Amino acid sequence: MTSHRLSTGETLTVQIIEEQSSEKIPPAHLPLSVFYEDDDLLILNKPADMPVHPSLGNYENTLANGIAYYYQGQGLPFVFRCINRLDRDTTGLLILAKNMLSAAVLSRQMKERKISRTYLALVQGNPKPSSGTIDAPIARVPGSVLERRVSPDGESAVTHYQVRKQLLSSALVELHLETGRTHQIRVHMKHIGHPLLGDFLYHSKDSSLSRQALHSYSLRFIHPITGCELFFHAPLPPDMQEYIRLHEGGAEPSE
């Protein structure tokens, strides 16, 4: 602690020092794709079949375990601070805050809807019109821990969609979230009659892909410390690219 009063030309530097790591997250050597990293945040490109954080039955196979190992290798403490969570089989960009200050700023940005998130999904059929907004509240299905549904007594949920490419009997759709409810895109697309391919929870009869075809494609937000605008985008994963290659031939999107 100091009582020194700053004068013109002096610079005050504050260091946030953490010495303890997150409890109950054992390090595990798992594949990680680090998209961007600086002193305050970490952007990852998450693969499919990887839960974000430990839960029942998933103790050492999560993204958090892999990050703990990544930090351990650098001799640094690890505190898990995930800003935008993704489902186990959803691929793509994910933000992790590396200190308390960046976590607080980014969490506020997320709450105030200042982090722009764009997803790409493969859906059944060809949505008409080719762009629109789905404004439908989402609630938990009674008796289910996992499943959600559109319900008048649910929480507000808004998704904007636009068809990027029509395929033979499906479509590649771009989606923007205003809210971040659990399974929001999956529930909303099912609600308008175009469930995600490979989504065994909300489209159980489909076996086009081995997981729901959903990818966190881009992120745009303000750096929590520098104030600079950041923009990241990750290309579609191989399984979605291959599906599109095999099913091209649809008409161009039209209203």
Side-chain angles (χ1 to χ4, degrees), residues 9 15 42 49 88 104 121 148 176 181 193 197 219 225 240:
Q15 291 184 317
L42 185 65
D49 194 29
R88 177 178 185 141
R148 267 65 174 175
H176 297 268
R181 307 305 177 200
L197 301 184
L219 293 169
I225 305 302
M240 292 178 69

Side-chain angles (χ1 to χ4, degrees), residues 17-18 26 33 68 103 117 143 151 162 169 185 194 227 247:
I17 300 175
E18 294 181 321
S33 176
R117 295 166 288 163
S151 173
Q162 180 171 359
S169 59
I185 289 174
H194 300 284
H247 295 81

